[in-house]
Amino acid sequence: MAPGEAWLSADERETAAGLRFEKRRSDWRVGRWAAKHALAARLGLAPQAAELARLEIRNDPEGAPSALRDGRPLPVPLSISHRDGAGLCALAPPGRAIGCDLEVVEPRDPAFVADYFGARERAGVAAAPEAGRVVRVALVWSAKEAALKALGTGLRRDTRELHVEPAPGEARRGWRRLAVEVAGDATLAGWWRELGERLLTVVTRPAGQAPEALLPLGGDQAAASWSARTAARVSAAPGSLSGR
């Protein structure tokens, strides 16, 4: 990620200055960096500081992000996630709801699964091979977060009202299918993949194709992007995300 603030808009610089804690400010910046590179790729813009500063990400009162250029809204639905110095942004075509999430694959306390997973999900975790159990937990939780963003509710909704199930079938461009059953609503479709020690999920409504790479994703890349012709465009940053 570029140092300094030349790539941020004036309002974004003010927002960053108001974030007191360094970790929160760093995660916020890397999420914006990923989002602006995704938007630049989507709009065919040069990913240079002056051009990126014309792009702005604002949050509505509920926390959902929206994109602007020169202060004018862009018809590009997007979702942003960040975790431990890495950021993820997913873009969708107009009229399509989208949510994404980025998680670290790491052991979780059994109480976490008991508190936030439904009965079938807990059974799925228990039945998973021991070596794959930590991935199963990360996948279920990440997909819940992505789906709740696509639904527009975020974590205000009880996560146990959503049931996540990895869908059968071969991976497409490194992405595997998943399904999210929502109590009292339709089943959402999405995609997930592992990148080293991290796990990425993207959920769209209605369903779409697997994300497709726009920019290469390498260890020394400042940002990398995917797109799907009818589903999502995804940008990940910084270079600590690697693999295909």
Side-chain angles (χ1 to χ4, degrees):
M1 185 172 62
E5 297 184 339
W7 56 278
L8 295 172
S9 71
D11 285 348
E12 288 173 330
R13 291 195 294 272
E14 183 177 346
T15 297
L19 299 174
R20 297 174 50 198
F21 299 102
E22 175 59 32
K23 183 181 185 304
R24 175 72 181 98
R25 184 165 57 251
S26 176
D27 284 347
W28 180 90
R29 282 168 56 90
V30 79
R32 260 49 183 182
W33 179 259
K36 291 192 178 202
H37 275 78
L39 288 166
R42 170 68 176 83
L43 300 173
L45 305 175
Q48 299 172 349
E51 195 65 63
L52 295 178
R54 297 174 63 189
L55 298 170
E56 184 176 349
I57 312 300
R58 293 182 185 173
N59 294 92
D60 67 19
E62 302 298 329
S66 60
L68 302 90
R69 188 179 187 220
D70 295 331
R72 294 188 292 273
L74 292 170
V76 184
L78 79 161
S79 179
I80 300 173
S81 181
H82 44 70
R83 172 76 190 271
D84 291 352
L88 175 70
C89 175
L91 310 181
R96 191 181 298 268
I98 189 164
C100 73
D101 188 66
L102 167 64
E103 292 292 333
V104 175
V105 179
E106 60 186 0
R108 299 264 191 174
D109 191 292
F112 176 86
V113 174
D115 288 344
Y116 296 108
F117 287 20
R120 287 186 293 160
E121 292 168 333
R122 295 195 299 272
V125 170
E130 185 174 355
R133 200 166 296 162
V134 66
V135 175
R136 179 75 174 223
V137 171
L139 167 59
V140 171
W141 178 248
S142 184
K144 285 177 182 283
E145 290 231 50
L148 289 169
K149 291 178 182 178
L151 291 168
T153 63
L155 290 172
R156 297 184 302 278
R157 184 165 186 167
D158 189 340
T159 60
R160 292 167 296 183
E161 294 181 1
L162 282 68
H163 172 73
V164 176
E165 192 69 37
E170 297 182 356
R172 299 187 182 184
R173 299 186 288 272
W175 294 84
R176 296 183 178 277
R177 291 183 182 273
L178 62 86
V180 185
E181 299 175 19
V182 184
D185 205 331
T187 296
L188 305 184
W191 300 86
W192 70 281
R193 67 174 296 166
E194 291 182 79
L195 283 175
E197 297 180 350
R198 294 184 173 88
L199 186 144
L200 286 60
T201 54
V202 177
V203 173
T204 57
R205 187 180 191 183
Q209 298 178 10
E212 178 182 353
L214 274 177
L215 303 176
L217 183 62
D220 58 352
Q221 285 287 122
S225 299
W226 293 273
S227 74
R229 294 181 182 87
T230 61
R233 300 174 186 268
V234 183
S235 174
S240 58
L241 293 180
S242 62
R244 288 294 296 273

